[in-house]
Each structure stands twice: as C-alpha cells, then as structure tokens.
Amino acid sequence: MKKVLIVGATGMVGNRVLEYCLDSDDISNVTVITRKPLNLDHPKLKEVMHKDFSSYEDLKNEFQDLDIGFFCIGVYTGSVKDDLLKLITVDFAEAFAKTLYQESPDATFCFLSGAGSDRSEKSRMSFAKYKGIAENLIDDMGFKSWYSFRPGYIYPVTPRKEPSFAYQMVRWMYPVIRLFGDNSSIKSTELAEGMVSVGLNGTEKKILENRDIITYLKSTAG
C-alpha cells in the first residue's frame, strides 16, 4: 500500500488526481498540502494547510516515508505577470521536488508539465521555457523514477467558469480539436488517471507527451 502527497489538489487536474488516489486500492494514505480547505472527509485523507509553496521547511515531516509525490500546481498562460509565472512554474516545483527527494529519496515524483516544454530553456514562450527549466531541475535531483506529463489542451470534464473568453472558445471547439489526433488534447479525467497509474506502476518513458499518456491508458485498459 502506497503513501502519496499532493499539491495543487484544488485545481482542475489535481482534484481529479486526488479522487483517483482516494479510490485506489493500492493507496493507503493521501496527504494534501493546500492553502484552502478541501471540505472533504475521507478516511485516507490528511489535509495540511500551508501558505508558502516556495518553502516546506516547517513541513518536512509530511514528506517522510512517501512512495509518490504529485505536483499539480499550474497557472493559465497570460493570467499572471511573468515573474509570478516563473515563481509558480519553476520555484514552486523545485521546492516541492527538493523536499520530497531529501525526505523520501526513493519516492516517485510526478510532475504536471505542459505541451511544448523546452528543455533547451531558449523558448521565447515563457510557459515553455519555465516548464523546461523545471524539468531540468527535477531531472538533476537524483530521483530513481520521475515522470513529466505534457498534456495539450486539457478538456475540463466538470463544467467550470472558464478563465477567459479564449478558453471558452477552445472548450466549445473541443470536438474539432479532437480531430487533430492524440497529441492535441486530453480530458482532465484521462490525464489524472494516467498520472496516478504511472505513479503507481511506472512506465518506460520519463517524459510523456499528450499522445504518450493516451497510448499508455489504452495499453492498460481492461
């Protein structure tokens, strides 16, 4: 039975990751570090309130004896200024991964990245550049197993208030986007299921593009 830790559990993907973890017979304990209450009662769940995701010095005990860590914190492109985007995308990810490795060096780390992540760190697109930087930092830490998930457009299965008109348009166009193939988009439920399954069972690829996640799910179906 596995013990897991999640940050970003109030987000579209992280919330689904939490659901799959709580439903899994292979997971005994789920700790969530969050800024606001989840309003969820479950015998497996431990909720830890925390304000500063750039440091976990006061929470190191929560990172001990873990099997899997899920980093699901993200921010919509164009919704914040560049310095805050970098803080959330790079610094938050580095702080979580570093503490996980220090306290549970044998744990598997699952990182919610994004399509187009640029590990050359030269992209003119801040999102791609910062995701690439974060992946490189994680790769250099020494994890025995870590996985980066690079979804394309993530279709929110549960209806929500979209962050902008552009996101509303993309949601409406989802049936058309799907026609572009397995590297174009993925449902939030599919992405979360893939992350939890890979975290539990592993897979050959360290970097999973959108098509890789869908292929993986098809291979494990049934």
Side-chain angles (χ1 to χ4, degrees):
M1 299 285 279
K2 306 293 186 181
K3 297 180 179 180
V4 308
L5 177 64
I6 307 171
V7 288
T10 57
M12 174 178 62
V13 178
N15 186 254
R16 292 290 182 175
V17 167
L18 173 60
E19 289 180 3
Y20 280 108
C21 287
L22 293 176
D23 288 342
S24 174
D25 293 333
D26 296 316
I27 296 173
S28 60
N29 299 83
V30 181
T31 299
V32 172
I33 298 176
T34 181
R35 284 178 175 166
K36 55 185 179 180
L38 298 173
N39 297 316
L40 178 63
D41 184 26
H42 194 284
K44 290 184 184 181
L45 179 63
K46 179 180 181 181
E47 197 172 335
V48 179
M49 305 303 294
H50 187 58
K51 295 292 185 182
D52 183 8
F53 289 108
S54 64
S55 174
Y56 297 95
E57 283 297 316
D58 297 334
L59 296 179
K60 285 189 174 182
N61 60 311
E62 305 296 347
F63 286 78
Q64 294 170 0
D65 302 318
L66 294 173
D67 297 292
I68 313 169
F70 293 98
F71 182 88
C72 302
I73 296 176
V75 63
Y76 296 108
T77 303
S79 62
V80 297
K81 293 183 178 180
D82 188 76
D83 56 346
L84 183 54
L85 176 63
K86 185 176 182 181
L87 174 69
I88 295 170
T89 308
V90 179
D91 298 345
F92 284 7
E94 181 182 18
F96 181 84
K98 184 180 292 184
T99 309
L100 178 66
Y101 183 71
Q102 288 173 346
E103 303 301 321
S104 294
D106 293 326
T108 295
F109 180 54
C110 294
F111 175 58
L112 179 57
S113 187
S117 299
D118 178 22
R119 294 188 65 176
S120 75
E121 304 181 12
K122 296 179 180 178
S123 176
R124 294 183 178 179
M125 295 180 61
S126 294
F127 176 85
K129 179 180 179 180
Y130 295 152
K131 285 292 188 183
I133 292 172
E135 288 184 358
N136 287 336
L137 288 168
I138 296 162
D139 199 22
D140 290 339
M141 286 183 189
F143 284 102
K144 293 180 180 178
S145 21
W146 78 276
Y147 302 96
S148 180
F149 299 83
R150 294 179 172 183
Y153 168 65
I154 305 171
Y155 177 76
V157 171
T158 302
R160 62 173 187 172
K161 181 180 180 181
E162 297 294 340
S164 69
F165 179 72
Y167 279 95
Q168 291 181 31
M169 290 293 294
V170 175
R171 181 183 174 89
W172 294 335
M173 294 174 61
Y174 177 68
V176 176
I177 295 171
R178 286 293 301 139
L179 298 177
F180 287 91
D182 286 346
N183 217 36
S184 61
S185 63
I186 191 168
K187 294 179 180 178
S188 56
T189 48
E190 293 172 330
L191 175 55
E193 181 183 0
M195 290 182 68
V196 174
S197 183
V198 169
L200 286 169
N201 305 301
T203 190
E204 291 183 0
K205 289 188 175 182
K206 181 186 298 183
I207 306 295
L208 292 97
E209 303 290 350
N210 200 99
R211 67 168 70 88
D212 298 319
I213 303 169
I214 292 176
T215 298
Y216 174 85
L217 290 173
K218 290 177 179 178
S219 71
T220 57

